[in-house]
Amino acid sequence: MPAERTREHTVPVAAARRRRLRADQARQLADLLRHQILAGGYPTGVLPLEDTLAADYGAGRNTVRQALDLLRGEQLVERRPGVGTVIVCAKYPHGLDRLQGLAETLHEHGRVTNEVRTVGPVRAPAPVAARLRLPEHSDVLYIERLRLLDGLPLSLDLTYVPLDIGADLIGCDLENTDVFRLLESLTGQPLGHAEITLEAVNADAHSAAVLQAPRGAAVLMLERLTHLGDGRPVDLEFIRFRGDRITMSGLLHRTAGA
């Protein structure tokens, strides 16, 4: 009797393992194809035929189809009758190894403009005052901007700047100029370094509406505290990027003894 029960369980367990293995392979292939797409590996905008992909990557047809389904779910590609699988959504590279504003980062890809939604002095929340090394209850300049690349919404930026510097920002061209450039011009010194944290969060109703993204969609949240060259913290930002339109990258070096 125990032997019979063992045989009964063997078949479904083996089938589940095969299904899981195929899903793993599809995920692995989707990762490779995504990289090729984002790196410009398909300059015509059309992916090779399924048979070609299967041969190139040593994968089965079903695995290739599942991988393409994953990419369609990300709205990176779509299937068009008579054409094949085409790339429908470009992602723009945002480097993490240099301290630059969005317009500086994406200057090769189009023109960045800012829809300034809010700008003015506010009482700094306690965590903001602490991060900017300001006395409790200090006023700061608060700026909320929708950042667009050639009219395409990319990010929603919430920025806090000490008021002794931020007061002069109010009269500046915030619609067409990165805050980083303005800060360097107003203070007469270069920016030095920034502390960053990057995580995925779900878009709240307000952020989703402003970014024209589905409510609850995952967005990339970049928290960045930027310091002047003399070490003073001068710009605290909470930036929500549309994850389907931006990709983060950087160059890392391993230090001796690590």
Side-chain angles (χ1 to χ4, degrees):
M1 196 67 176
E4 292 180 3
R5 280 199 295 269
T6 300
R7 283 195 298 272
E8 289 174 1
H9 289 295
T10 299
V11 174
V13 168
R17 286 175 176 167
R18 284 195 297 272
R19 287 194 298 270
R20 187 165 60 248
L21 180 58
R22 183 182 298 162
D24 290 342
Q25 291 174 340
R27 211 163 29 242
Q28 293 163 4
L29 178 55
D31 290 342
L32 296 173
L33 293 176
R34 186 187 303 105
H35 173 79
Q36 287 292 94
I37 291 169
L38 300 180
Y42 305 113
T44 64
V46 181
L47 271 64
L49 297 175
E50 291 180 0
D51 286 342
T52 303
L53 291 174
D56 288 347
Y57 291 93
R61 285 284 298 275
N62 287 336
T63 298
V64 171
R65 288 170 180 165
Q66 288 183 12
L68 295 177
D69 283 341
L70 292 174
L71 298 178
R72 277 194 288 270
E74 297 174 17
Q75 299 182 342
L76 193 59
V77 302
E78 69 177 27
R79 181 77 178 174
R80 291 182 182 170
V83 179
T85 301
V86 299
I87 301 168
V88 294
C89 181
K91 287 194 176 187
Y92 301 99
H94 189 293
L96 291 177
D97 47 7
R98 296 186 65 186
L99 184 55
Q100 293 183 316
L102 193 66
E104 294 172 311
T105 301
L106 300 180
H107 72 278
E108 296 179 354
H109 302 280
R111 181 169 177 262
V112 172
T113 55
N114 310 307
E115 178 185 312
V116 181
R117 300 177 58 81
T118 303
V119 58
V122 299
R123 180 68 57 86
V128 171
R131 297 292 302 281
L132 291 173
R133 299 181 197 163
L134 298 173
E136 193 174 353
H137 307 308
S138 294
D139 286 341
V140 294
L141 183 70
Y142 173 72
I143 309 170
E144 180 176 313
R145 296 166 296 160
L146 173 63
R147 318 294 303 277
L148 306 105
L149 179 65
D150 291 336
L152 187 72
L154 283 187
S155 70
L156 178 63
D157 295 17
L158 282 56
T159 305
Y160 300 90
V161 179
L163 198 57
D164 63 311
I165 298 172
D168 291 331
L169 282 174
I170 296 176
C172 294
D173 184 10
L174 293 170
E175 293 186 352
N176 299 291
T177 313
D178 279 338
V179 168
F180 278 2
R181 286 191 176 276
L182 295 173
L183 289 174
E184 290 181 323
S185 175
L186 291 173
T187 62
Q189 63 174 301
L191 297 175
H193 69 279
E195 304 156 21
I196 63 171
T197 301
L198 182 64
E199 61 181 320
V201 300
N202 292 332
D204 59 275
H206 172 259
S207 299
V210 173
L211 289 170
Q212 299 176 22
R215 183 174 180 176
V219 296
L220 293 175
M221 165 70 86
L222 177 67
E223 178 183 331
R224 180 170 61 194
L225 177 62
T226 302
H227 301 250
L228 291 172
D230 62 8
R232 180 188 177 185
V234 72
D235 182 333
L236 177 61
E237 297 173 283
F238 298 88
I239 307 172
R240 291 168 173 82
F241 288 101
R242 280 194 55 155
D244 59 342
R245 292 179 177 168
I246 207 84
T247 180
M248 300 289 181
S249 62
L251 178 64
L252 304 179
H253 297 276
R254 184 172 174 85
T255 57

